[in-house]
Amino acid sequence: MTTETLTMGKALNLGLRRAMDDDPKVVLMGEDIGRLGGVFRVTDGLQKDFGEARVVDTPLAEAGIVGTAVGLALRGYRPVCEIQFDGFVFPAVNQIVTQVAKISARSQGRMRMPVVIRIPFGGGIGAVEHHSESPEAYFAHTPGLKVVSVSNPVDAYWGIQQAIAAPDPVVFLEPKRRYWEKAEVDLDAIPEPLFRSRVVRRGDDVTVLAYGPMVATALQAAAAAAEEGRSLEVVDLRTLSPLDLDPVVDSVRRTGRCVVVHEAQVSHGLGAEIAARLTEQCFHSLEAPVLRAGGYDVPYPPARNEEEYLPDLDRVLDAVDRAMGF
Amino acid sequence: MTTETLTMGKALNLGLRRAMDDDPKVVLMGEDIGRLGGVFRVTDGLQKDFGEARVVDTPLAEAGIVGTAVGLALRGYRPVCEIQFDGFVFPAVNQIVTQVAKISARSQGRMRMPVVIRIPFGGGIGAVEHHSESPEAYFAHTPGLKVVSVSNPVDAYWGIQQAIAAPDPVVFLEPKRRYWEKAEVDLDAIPEPLFRSRVVRRGDDVTVLAYGPMVATALQAAAAAAEEGRSLEVVDLRTLSPLDLDPVVDSVRRTGRCVVVHEAQVSHGLGAEIAARLTEQCFHSLEAPVLRAGGYDVPYPPARNEEEYLPDLDRVLDAVDRAMGF
Amino acid sequence: MSTVPELVQLLTPEGQRVEDPTHAIDLSADELRGLYRDLVLVRRWDVEATALQRQGELGLWPPLLGQEAAQVGAGHALQPGDMAFPTYREHGVAWVRGVDPLHVMSLYRGVDNGGWDPAETGLNLYTIVIPAQTLHATGYAMGVQRDGAETAVLAFLGDGATSQGELSEAMIWAASFSAPVVFFCQNNQYAISAPIERQSRVPLAHRAAGFGFPGVRVDGNDVLAVLAVTRAALTAAREGQGPTFIEAFTYRMGAHTTSDDPTRYRLAHEVEEWRRRDPIARLRTHLEQEGIADADFLAAVEAEGEELAARIRRGTIAMQPRPAVTMFDAVYAEQPPPLAAQRDEFLAYQASFEEAGR
Amino acid sequence: MSTVPELVQLLTPEGQRVEDPTHAIDLSADELRGLYRDLVLVRRWDVEATALQRQGELGLWPPLLGQEAAQVGAGHALQPGDMAFPTYREHGVAWVRGVDPLHVMSLYRGVDNGGWDPAETGLNLYTIVIPAQTLHATGYAMGVQRDGAETAVLAFLGDGATSQGELSEAMIWAASFSAPVVFFCQNNQYAISAPIERQSRVPLAHRAAGFGFPGVRVDGNDVLAVLAVTRAALTAAREGQGPTFIEAFTYRMGAHTTSDDPTRYRLAHEVEEWRRRDPIARLRTHLEQEGIADADFLAAVEAEGEELAARIRRGTIAMQPRPAVTMFDAVYAEQPPPLAAQRDEFLAYQASFEEAGR
Ligand SMILES: Cc1ncc(C[n+]2csc(CCOP(=O)(O)OP(=O)(O)O)c2C)c(N)n1
Ligand SMILES: Cc1ncc(C[n+]2csc(CCOP(=O)(O)OP(=O)(O)O)c2C)c(N)n1
Ligand SMILES: [Mg+2]
Ligand SMILES: [Mg+2]
């Protein structure tokens, strides 16, 4: 067993390195990912070791990055695109939605799209406009894509490798404000499967679902609730499309109450689908409607207001209170 | 009272004409909308009467259409963009999501975006790939946009005028397979407000929500159900963002059961948000979970399979049965 | 800065051979007859497809009428290992690449979205979103570079497509990475109703110089010139000289698609003028004048066309929809459990009708 | 096809005036001193802002260091009724347009996304998504045409921005409609870490010819040349001659933003080389040599810079966040009931903390 204490950023870096070692067809593409090592340094040192043909500093255009990645995939490569910030994925949406997502179905499976689109996402770092978006619902609503988010260095290390190895396109969401958080990573472990959710804290009163940056927040809320004698079960969703709700259904059947937490604006966000499905599957067990704690239905506010926009420990506990009050 | 029997296409045409007569700042922009009158002839004759400066045949690029519309709006114009088909809106998504939707908030309301984006949407016409999409959820999830869909010539005639007169950006979804359906339109009536839903058939057993192309389907289902002694209340949602659920809540509190119908893939579609909200607001009245009849979570299939993909009368009744069986 | 040459032409509309030392081409009589045959057959297919659409057997058909030389010429410039990325109108290229016309018919019948295998035929599936395929072609060419292969890539696009930002991005990528890709633009003068002047006030071939690579303008109704120019560009790409942009100057003689009514936006006399530059007639005249084609040969080609048309008609009419459940099957390589469940529900739902005997 | 001129220069790095009959400019001593003053003041502001960011008073700062002449020159070419569309770095243009620097500071402090009024200042809000504003500028110019106004529009962009498809679309629209818009590209040699060679292997000014309008290349560190070239282009636009693309050849002397570490991707000696072409030093030399500026004047400008810096510092530090509830207020002109309800819930939620005395 080789364990290392890694930040999430470094875990991703090592995961990418290992994926590139394992498969010569893996090619990284993006703005500033080579020389500079990416604005978050996630690809630091990789161009130096793997060369410019495998770590490609691209021109500045997201449609170009994803569109040429499609072509590389058609030629047998496994491109890993970095979108520099969440708010800059939109120029690539046409390629993602009309091409990446549809090519397998279009070709009756003759052509596959093993493309990974890495997106540092979410707020909490005091950034300017377009640098704090949570665009996951757009992708989760798009058949043909898979969408995952990681919440900790262990999942980051394994998840990026699993996403690259997957035969389907994966939108890989990295919670940028957690890049610097550390954990022990066992580099030889047998990883958990990528497209599975996981109970990260046991509890009996309310099930709290979260993913990416909000998992830590949910765990903080659970710790605070415990002090007041309330027991929260926390689930890290991990996979946003496909959803893996089986463990959640089990949990909710037991607790009868559920709160979904995400940074994205709440309307038509992930919480909506989860609430709809859980209600269908747990109708007779639910003692309260599935409630949501999310961003408000407004454009992400200026940085100095983001604390009030983002769900935090208190917002989660407030939703938990409301669920208990039903 | 001047009434005319109009197809939905013609009603839109007259509505656009009247909006252009009323306000010289209204400018139409799009591919093939001038000389040709649009591929669905919705703008037929308008360039002839209003000239090339007000009915602009653009180069072939959707980002260009919407991006220059933003500039025209900043100069005081009221641009109405036509996206030729639903599947071709994606190149414009960057301008729509990062600019059109955010400029009012970005400028603290100093700048407004009275832009209308008309999109013929949905399936049922036997078209090739990318011509049968239902992209409404992407826009409904985007704060700053308003999203409406019309289901009949009367709403089409008034709705397009109201959307153009609105001070906010409106994504205006036209159910292309209903373009040829006719109704009497009273050209002097006082129209219903745009951002309101409407009960279009009274009933007691199950509330069925639909919008755009599916309203007719829901009404057919209600007629068929009536023959079997089952009474469906049908609501035409009309406004997808903001949602106007008050009339629906009243209805569901009475019926205790609800089915949402749309063509878009069901996961993370409009039905998810509606189900989540209704469950919150009607929790103690619901006798069954809010169920959804929608497209499957696959890319829109080839035309000769679309009948099986699209919700139809039987699919709606099936969902109604399931709701009753809870 | 490279200058854009005048229109390259090797065969006048009257069928006269023009000598052009920088675009030399030397074809055997067999090769010339082969080109002629392809031109005639793809036109015959196209006419049949238009008729089938009128009869309700196809959902839609985008005719290539008038663009046969551009497509057949470009198709013949490709080598077996090369890869071409078509739009939705490249039936002539599909033909030359050996794609079974019925695979193209099945797409426009609404049976599938492209039934051939790109890996086998060297022709990517048709791409309808304009011009997404130009980026794919460029990325594919970057893969070719990484493989160290002697392969070139040909990206098709229309004149209208030149306005889409994605094409500019493809050109920028191609230049920046010196990728072995050739952009082949059929300027057929219209994007549905929009005349070329709406997209550009200078010849499209000029566009390339601004991105740092050569642009060539060729008479798109001259199969010899198209072949020569495209072959040269593909060879340059294969040899590591990077991209070229080819503007094939041609004309869409028919409607944009069978849903279109071109009388609304263009005048009959313009069409008539272009009819005099017909790509097939000029090659026939040339072959006849040179004694390469005689009446027997011409008749044999006509007869082959009729056979082909009959086969296409039979095959098309016989085509049945695929079972609807297949819509679930190729969405992913690894089908997620929720989708598998949806598929099961779909099957159960369908079965319920059969049980009910409806 | 128009040819691209060599770099237009009216003032050498050594401060010598170059005569160029096609780009004549005749400025009064006052005007020259005014330009100098603006150059110094915007640099002083920029330095102060960088320092404030280091001290935690700003979230981020993108320095204009080295690009003062490009921005001040372009800004002065505008007439009062004209409209400019900046990126996120055009502090020099904002200054010349009379935008209060504190409005720019509030943006980078995270207080708002742009607090000035574009209608009043003739400067659109900063746009961060590259290069969305170039389409806005073009559409605005189409509005100007419809108004029959004598107004020109200036769209700013960087060298990296030239790779985005939206810029190409803006250029195509501008050409197609002959819109009165000038594209002003500050080629500062880098897009964060990407050197200009990644975006283009030919000078960016060449790009325009392929779209059918003139491209000009100007020494971006020469405020006189920038002013002359931009003024001429804006005049042409105003007179109905359509768009121009200007490449201002300059250098980003600082980091991309305060978050960036340029030592990772460029060499110190390159920066040193460009330091010798400093835009302010050369104008000062010229003014001194011509006897237009004396020590008193120079000292006065320095002093004014210190005052400005102090005012900016005080103002920035004093800036408070706006009440969070304002995030609900300007999303729509007509606030929808569900959002109003969300706003009410938000206020109630906030109030619950106050009640609880937390
Ligand atoms: C992104 C996108 N927008 C719009 C369309 C609709 N459309 C189909 S063909 C066409 C015109 C294309 O013109 P051109 O590129 O000249 O090709 P041609 O049809 O003449 O071969 C348009 C606008 C599309 N397919 N894709
Ligand atoms: C669409 C988009 N993608 C990525 C970014 C992130 N980004 C911000 S500045 C920048 C480099 C811009 O370079 P250039 O256009 O040369 O302007 P400069 O910063 O040098 O002034 C990048 C990649 C962005 N703002 N917008
Ligand atoms: Mg064309
Ligand atoms: Mg730059």
Side-chain angles (χ1 to χ4, degrees):
Chain A
M1 188 168 110
T2 335
T3 64
E4 278 191 48
T5 305
L6 299 175
T7 62
M8 182 183 291
K10 186 68 191 165
L12 288 165
N13 180 274
L14 282 186
L16 287 167
R17 177 178 290 278
R18 189 153 156 187
M20 295 187 79
D21 273 331
D22 288 353
D23 184 348
K25 294 292 190 185
V26 175
V27 172
L28 314 191
M29 316 169 66
E31 296 158 9
D32 307 292
I33 67 166
R35 272 281 189 91
L36 184 63
V39 293
F40 291 107
R41 305 291 183 270
V42 169
T43 52
D44 195 24
L46 297 178
Q47 191 180 65
K48 197 165 145 283
D49 293 345
F50 293 98
E52 292 187 13
R54 295 194 62 199
V55 181
V56 186
D57 273 318
T58 66
L60 202 174
E62 291 75 12
I65 294 169
V66 175
T68 54
V70 168
L72 276 157
L74 293 177
R75 180 76 191 177
Y77 286 83
R78 301 185 95 82
V80 182
C81 304
E82 174 173 305
I83 300 294
Q84 198 163 76
F85 281 92
D86 35 56
F88 308 137
V89 72
F90 298 103
V93 157
N94 180 48
Q95 284 286 338
I96 297 174
V97 170
T98 73
Q99 306 301 317
V100 173
K102 286 182 194 263
I103 281 175
S104 176
R106 180 180 302 155
S107 66
Q108 296 140 61
R110 281 194 197 88
M111 296 146 88
R112 299 295 188 185
M113 274 293 115
V115 174
V116 175
I117 300 172
R118 293 181 41 236
I119 313 179
F121 86 121
I125 64 160
V128 294
E129 211 190 343
H130 310 291
H131 291 69
S132 307
E133 308 285 316
S134 296
E136 61 270 22
Y138 299 105
F139 303 116
H141 183 53
T142 305
L145 300 178
K146 292 180 174 176
V147 185
V148 301
S149 182
V150 288
S151 67
N152 60 73
V154 178
D155 283 353
Y157 175 73
W158 292 112
I160 190 64
Q161 295 179 60
Q162 293 164 317
I164 292 170
D168 294 308
V170 179
V171 176
F172 192 90
L173 296 161
E174 303 171 2
K176 66 172 87 81
R177 65 158 130 164
R178 310 289 181 203
Y179 272 144
W180 298 273
E181 292 189 8
K182 287 185 186 161
E184 288 271 291
V185 180
D186 175 357
L187 304 182
D188 300 326
I190 295 172
E192 287 185 67
L194 182 59
F195 301 108
R196 288 287 168 74
S197 60
R198 180 174 59 216
V199 177
V200 290
R201 179 182 171 121
R202 292 277 163 198
D204 301 314
D205 295 334
V206 177
T207 308
V208 178
L209 305 190
Y211 54 87
M214 287 289 103
V215 173
T217 306
L219 286 170
Q220 286 158 17
E227 285 180 21
E228 297 177 16
R230 196 167 271 171
S231 160
L232 307 188
E233 176 139 318
V234 179
V235 181
D236 181 350
L237 269 180
R238 299 175 83 248
T239 170
L240 313 187
S241 178
L243 285 168
D244 174 32
L245 292 187
D246 289 352
V248 184
V249 167
D250 291 346
S251 174
V252 171
R253 289 217 171 111
R254 207 157 30 76
T255 62
R257 293 181 164 85
C258 181
V259 167
V260 190
V261 190
H262 53 62
E263 290 191 11
Q265 55 273 17
V266 84
S267 280
H268 308 275
L270 266 278
E273 180 63 31
I274 292 168
R277 287 204 199 186
L278 287 179
T279 308
E280 248 186 84
Q281 292 180 51
C282 310
F283 189 66
H284 295 297
S285 323
L286 279 175
E287 312 208 23
V290 177
L291 296 182
R292 296 173 284 170
Y296 300 104
D297 292 320
V298 303
Y300 200 90
R304 300 257 164 159
N305 295 132
E306 74 179 339
E307 260 183 47
E308 286 94 339
Y309 173 87
L310 290 169
D312 60 3
L313 185 154
D314 287 321
R315 292 265 302 282
V316 176
L317 292 178
D318 177 63
V320 165
D321 282 348
R322 284 187 287 126
M324 294 298 291
F326 249 82
Chain B
M1 189 167 111
T2 334
T3 64
E4 278 191 49
T5 305
L6 299 174
T7 61
M8 183 184 290
K10 186 67 192 167
L12 289 164
N13 180 273
L14 282 186
L16 288 167
R17 177 178 288 278
R18 189 153 157 187
M20 296 187 78
D21 273 332
D22 288 353
D23 184 348
K25 294 292 190 184
V26 175
V27 172
L28 314 192
M29 316 171 65
E31 296 157 9
D32 306 293
I33 66 166
R35 272 278 188 92
L36 185 64
V39 293
F40 291 107
R41 306 292 184 267
V42 169
T43 52
D44 195 25
L46 298 178
Q47 191 180 64
K48 198 165 145 282
D49 293 344
F50 293 99
E52 292 187 14
R54 295 193 61 198
V55 180
V56 186
D57 274 317
T58 65
L60 202 174
E62 290 75 12
I65 294 169
V66 175
T68 53
V70 168
L72 276 157
L74 294 176
R75 182 73 192 180
Y77 286 83
R78 302 184 94 81
V80 182
C81 304
E82 174 175 305
I83 300 295
Q84 198 163 78
F85 281 92
D86 35 56
F88 307 137
V89 73
F90 297 103
V93 157
N94 181 48
Q95 284 287 339
I96 297 174
V97 170
T98 72
Q99 305 301 317
V100 173
K102 286 181 194 263
I103 282 176
S104 176
R106 180 180 302 154
S107 65
Q108 296 140 61
R110 280 193 199 89
M111 296 147 87
R112 299 294 189 186
M113 274 292 117
V115 174
V116 175
I117 300 173
R118 293 181 40 237
I119 312 179
F121 87 122
I125 64 161
V128 293
E129 210 189 344
H130 310 290
H131 291 68
S132 308
E133 308 285 316
S134 295
E136 61 270 22
Y138 299 105
F139 303 116
H141 183 53
T142 305
L145 300 179
K146 292 180 174 176
V147 185
V148 301
S149 182
V150 289
S151 67
N152 61 73
V154 176
D155 282 354
Y157 175 73
W158 292 112
I160 190 64
Q161 295 180 59
Q162 292 165 317
I164 293 170
D168 293 310
V170 179
V171 175
F172 192 89
L173 297 160
E174 304 171 2
K176 65 170 89 81
R177 64 157 130 164
R178 309 289 181 203
Y179 271 146
W180 299 273
E181 292 189 10
K182 288 185 186 161
E184 288 271 290
V185 181
D186 175 357
L187 304 182
D188 300 326
I190 294 170
E192 287 184 68
L194 183 58
F195 300 108
R196 288 287 168 73
S197 61
R198 181 174 58 216
V199 177
V200 290
R201 180 181 170 123
R202 293 277 162 199
D204 301 314
D205 295 335
V206 178
T207 307
V208 178
L209 305 189
Y211 53 87
M214 287 290 102
V215 174
T217 307
L219 286 169
Q220 287 158 16
E227 284 179 21
E228 297 178 14
R230 196 167 270 170
S231 159
L232 307 188
E233 176 139 320
V234 179
V235 181
D236 182 349
L237 269 179
R238 300 175 81 247
T239 170
L240 312 187
S241 179
L243 284 168
D244 174 32
L245 292 187
D246 289 350
V248 184
V249 167
D250 290 347
S251 174
V252 172
R253 290 218 171 111
R254 208 156 29 76
T255 62
R257 294 179 163 86
C258 181
V259 167
V260 190
V261 191
H262 54 61
E263 291 191 11
Q265 54 273 18
V266 83
S267 279
H268 308 276
L270 265 278
E273 180 62 33
I274 292 168
R277 287 205 201 185
L278 287 179
T279 308
E280 247 186 84
Q281 292 181 50
C282 310
F283 189 68
H284 295 296
S285 323
L286 279 176
E287 311 206 22
V290 177
L291 297 182
R292 296 172 286 170
Y296 300 104
D297 292 320
V298 303
Y300 200 88
R304 301 254 166 161
N305 294 133
E306 74 179 339
E307 260 182 46
E308 287 95 339
Y309 173 86
L310 291 168
D312 60 4
L313 185 154
D314 287 321
R315 293 265 303 282
V316 176
L317 292 179
D318 177 64
V320 165
D321 281 349
R322 284 188 287 127
M324 294 298 291
F326 249 83
Chain C
M1 218 179 143
S2 70
T3 49
V4 178
E6 296 301 290
L7 204 66
V8 178
Q9 197 181 67
L10 300 181
L11 203 56
T12 67
E14 293 73 35
Q16 298 306 312
R17 191 70 167 75
V18 182
E19 283 313 315
D20 178 339
T22 53
H23 299 96
I25 190 163
D26 191 16
L27 298 177
S28 70
D30 263 356
E31 285 172 320
L32 286 166
R33 278 189 294 262
L35 288 175
Y36 178 78
R37 173 178 170 272
D38 283 347
L39 293 173
V40 171
L41 294 185
V42 301
R43 178 170 293 180
R44 187 62 190 86
W45 165 16
D46 187 67
V47 167
E48 194 65 23
T50 299
L52 282 164
Q53 197 283 336
R54 296 275 174 248
Q55 293 155 21
E57 298 292 344
L58 295 182
L60 186 82
W61 184 251
L64 64 55
L65 199 71
Q67 300 176 221
E68 295 87 353
Q71 297 189 10
V72 168
H76 274 275
L78 289 159
Q79 293 188 359
D82 291 345
M83 181 60 88
F85 287 79
T87 73
Y88 40 81
R89 201 190 292 284
E90 268 69 69
H91 323 315
V93 184
W95 171 260
V96 175
R97 294 306 266 169
V99 172
D100 186 334
L102 288 174
H103 281 320
V104 177
M105 299 303 277
S106 66
L107 191 163
Y108 287 110
R109 191 170 165 86
V111 166
D112 59 40
N113 292 318
W116 63 94
D117 186 349
E120 211 176 85
T121 56
L123 185 79
N124 189 54
L125 293 190
Y126 278 13
T127 300
I128 287 173
V129 176
I130 296 171
Q133 76 284 354
T134 58
L135 279 169
H136 307 167
T138 305
Y140 191 94
M142 290 170 69
V144 164
Q145 284 182 309
R146 280 161 182 71
D147 295 341
E150 289 225 343
T151 294
V153 182
L154 191 55
F156 287 90
L157 63 140
D159 47 295
T162 60
S163 289
Q164 289 278 12
E166 288 195 2
L167 171 69
S168 293
E169 296 185 13
M171 291 173 74
I172 287 164
W173 248 257
S176 193
F177 297 105
S178 207
V181 59
V182 173
F183 299 98
F184 189 92
C185 175
Q186 287 167 79
N187 176 0
N188 64 6
Q189 313 301 326
Y190 286 92
I192 309 186
S193 72
I196 175 63
E197 294 74 33
R198 176 48 76 221
Q199 324 288 343
S200 185
R201 40 187 208 188
V202 292
L204 293 171
H206 287 202
R207 191 76 62 86
F211 292 104
F213 58 91
V216 188
R217 203 164 201 230
V218 62
D219 182 341
N221 286 13
D222 172 354
V223 70
L224 301 186
V226 171
L227 174 53
V229 159
T230 313
R231 191 176 271 172
L234 290 170
T235 303
R238 236 178 254 112
E239 291 174 353
Q241 292 170 51
T244 302
F245 183 97
I246 297 172
E247 176 189 0
F249 200 75
T250 180
Y251 195 78
R252 199 194 74 209
M253 293 297 294
H256 169 67
T257 68
T258 44
S259 302
D260 181 38
D261 174 8
T263 63
R264 283 183 159 251
Y265 54 82
R266 67 185 187 186
L267 299 169
H269 83 84
E270 183 184 287
V271 183
E272 274 319 303
E273 232 166 70
W274 276 92
R275 205 182 301 283
R276 289 199 289 275
R277 303 183 216 167
D278 185 73
I280 302 190
R282 78 171 77 173
L283 184 61
R284 187 176 48 231
T285 310
H286 176 63
L287 297 189
E288 287 174 337
Q289 283 174 352
E290 301 288 316
I292 294 172
D294 58 13
D296 281 355
F297 168 73
L298 296 176
V301 171
E302 291 304 312
E304 202 184 346
E306 293 311 311
E307 263 168 55
L308 175 66
R311 177 169 90 78
I312 287 173
R313 166 169 292 269
R314 272 195 315 274
T316 301
I317 294 175
M319 266 173 214
Q320 294 302 316
R322 299 192 301 150
V325 70
T326 56
M327 73 174 116
F328 294 95
D329 291 341
V331 182
Y332 298 98
E334 290 174 353
Q335 190 169 55
L339 190 59
Q342 216 175 61
R343 183 182 189 276
D344 291 344
E345 282 162 28
F346 174 80
L347 286 175
Y349 173 73
Q350 285 213 316
S352 73
F353 287 88
E354 281 152 34
E355 280 161 34
R358 288 201 235 182
Chain D
M1 220 177 142
S2 70
T3 50
V4 178
E6 296 300 290
L7 204 66
V8 177
Q9 195 180 67
L10 299 181
L11 204 56
T12 68
E14 293 72 36
Q16 297 308 311
R17 192 68 168 74
V18 183
E19 284 312 315
D20 180 339
T22 54
H23 299 95
I25 191 163
D26 190 17
L27 298 176
S28 69
D30 264 356
E31 285 171 319
L32 287 166
R33 278 189 295 262
L35 288 175
Y36 178 77
R37 172 178 171 271
D38 283 346
L39 293 173
V40 171
L41 295 185
V42 301
R43 178 170 292 181
R44 187 62 191 84
W45 166 14
D46 187 66
V47 167
E48 194 64 23
T50 299
L52 282 164
Q53 198 282 337
R54 295 274 173 249
Q55 293 155 20
E57 298 292 344
L58 295 182
L60 186 83
W61 183 252
L64 63 56
L65 199 70
Q67 301 177 220
E68 296 87 352
Q71 297 190 10
V72 167
H76 274 276
L78 288 160
Q79 294 188 358
D82 291 345
M83 181 61 87
F85 287 78
T87 73
Y88 40 81
R89 200 189 292 283
E90 267 69 70
H91 323 314
V93 183
W95 172 258
V96 176
R97 293 308 266 169
V99 172
D100 186 335
L102 288 174
H103 281 320
V104 177
M105 299 302 277
S106 66
L107 191 162
Y108 287 109
R109 191 170 166 85
V111 167
D112 59 40
N113 292 317
W116 63 93
D117 186 349
E120 209 176 86
T121 55
L123 185 79
N124 190 54
L125 293 190
Y126 278 13
T127 300
I128 287 172
V129 176
I130 296 170
Q133 76 283 355
T134 58
L135 279 169
H136 307 168
T138 305
Y140 190 93
M142 290 170 69
V144 165
Q145 283 181 309
R146 279 160 182 71
D147 295 342
E150 289 224 342
T151 295
V153 182
L154 191 55
F156 287 89
L157 63 140
D159 48 295
T162 61
S163 288
Q164 289 279 11
E166 288 195 3
L167 172 68
S168 293
E169 296 185 13
M171 290 173 74
I172 287 164
W173 248 257
S176 193
F177 297 105
S178 206
V181 59
V182 173
F183 299 97
F184 190 92
C185 174
Q186 286 168 79
N187 176 0
N188 64 6
Q189 313 301 325
Y190 286 92
I192 309 186
S193 72
I196 176 64
E197 295 73 34
R198 176 49 76 221
Q199 324 288 344
S200 184
R201 39 188 208 187
V202 293
L204 292 172
H206 288 202
R207 191 76 62 86
F211 292 103
F213 58 90
V216 188
R217 202 164 202 230
V218 62
D219 181 341
N221 286 12
D222 172 354
V223 69
L224 301 186
V226 171
L227 174 54
V229 159
T230 313
R231 190 175 272 172
L234 289 170
T235 302
R238 236 178 255 113
E239 291 174 352
Q241 291 169 53
T244 302
F245 183 98
I246 298 172
E247 176 190 0
F249 200 76
T250 179
Y251 195 79
R252 198 193 74 208
M253 294 298 293
H256 168 68
T257 67
T258 44
S259 303
D260 181 37
D261 173 8
T263 63
R264 285 183 159 248
Y265 54 82
R266 68 184 188 187
L267 299 169
H269 81 84
E270 182 184 289
V271 182
E272 274 320 303
E273 233 166 70
W274 276 92
R275 204 182 301 284
R276 288 200 290 274
R277 303 183 217 168
D278 185 74
I280 302 189
R282 78 171 76 171
L283 185 61
R284 188 177 48 232
T285 311
H286 176 64
L287 296 189
E288 288 174 336
Q289 283 173 351
E290 301 288 315
I292 295 172
D294 57 15
D296 281 357
F297 169 73
L298 296 176
V301 171
E302 291 305 311
E304 202 183 348
E306 292 312 311
E307 263 168 54
L308 174 66
R311 177 169 89 78
I312 288 172
R313 165 167 294 266
R314 272 195 315 274
T316 302
I317 293 175
M319 266 175 216
Q320 294 302 316
R322 298 193 301 151
V325 70
T326 57
M327 74 173 116
F328 294 95
D329 291 340
V331 183
Y332 298 97
E334 289 173 354
Q335 190 170 54
L339 190 59
Q342 216 175 63
R343 182 181 189 277
D344 291 344
E345 282 162 28
F346 175 80
L347 287 175
Y349 174 73
Q350 285 214 317
S352 73
F353 287 89
E354 281 153 33
E355 280 160 33
R358 289 201 235 179

